[in-house]
Amino acid sequence: SAFFESAAGLRGLKQDVYEGGIRVPLVARWPGHVPAGKTSAHPSAFWDMLPTFAELAGAKTPKAADGVSLVPSLLGKPAQQKARDYLYWEFEGRQAVRMGNWKAVRLKPASATEVYDLATDPSEKTDVAAAQPAIVRRAEEIFSKGRVESALFPLVRKS
């Protein structure tokens, strides 16, 4: 990772819930449909691929799917058809939630919640949790209610 600079200056690496572990560019090419050379700052996640591919194929998205179609962004339309309040990640007890430009991270279920303003601090160097108690409360609500318990992927792995 250091040799290839795979995190491009962002904090963390794969399997981390910091931006270096979860932020990945999406490159799309579809001549005549996807405008060449255009970029979008629309935050998305892997789970948006199923609804996107379903829409492109003219199929229905399963009701249980968490994602939203990225087709409006891909086609250069001004706004997504469906907005969401947040994106949520979790990996072996570590949790993260992105709410607009705010990103909250909790490294263990009982640890303090960190908060970063990705608009001004994409490398997550300055924790502003103390100055953003409302963001901390909302993130902690999502950490506890926004997840689905799974026997295959427990929040904390039992030895």
Side-chain angles (χ1 to χ4, degrees), residues 23-153:
R23 186 181 285 209
V24 178
L26 170 67
V27 178
R29 182 176 187 274
W30 187 12
H33 299 278
V34 175
K38 298 290 181 181
T39 62
S40 170
H42 178 77
S44 61
F46 180 73
W47 45 93
D48 294 328
M49 296 298 104
L50 174 62
T52 301
F53 296 147
E55 183 175 343
L56 291 172
K60 289 186 178 182
T61 300
K63 290 185 184 203
D66 290 329
V68 298
S69 173
L70 300 176
V71 170
S73 287
L74 290 172
L75 299 181
K77 297 193 176 168
Q80 279 293 128
Q81 294 172 338
K82 183 178 176 185
R84 67 175 130 229
D85 293 332
Y86 61 86
L87 288 168
Y88 173 83
W89 297 267
E90 123 182 4
F91 186 75
E92 293 185 347
R94 299 178 301 257
Q95 298 171 286
V97 62
R98 179 165 177 173
M99 304 165 286
N101 286 326
W102 295 110
K103 167 100 174 279
V105 172
R106 186 162 65 180
L107 299 178
K108 295 178 186 173
S111 68
T113 298
E114 304 166 15
V115 174
Y116 302 94
D117 180 356
L118 296 179
T120 60
D121 183 19
S123 295
E124 298 166 300
K125 292 180 179 177
T126 305
D127 179 2
V128 296
Q132 299 296 334
I135 300 297
V136 171
R137 280 192 301 276
R138 176 69 176 129
E140 289 176 350
E141 177 183 298
I142 294 167
F143 290 155
S144 65
K145 295 181 182 176
R147 69 181 310 274
V148 176
E149 191 61 51
S150 168
L152 297 174
F153 299 101

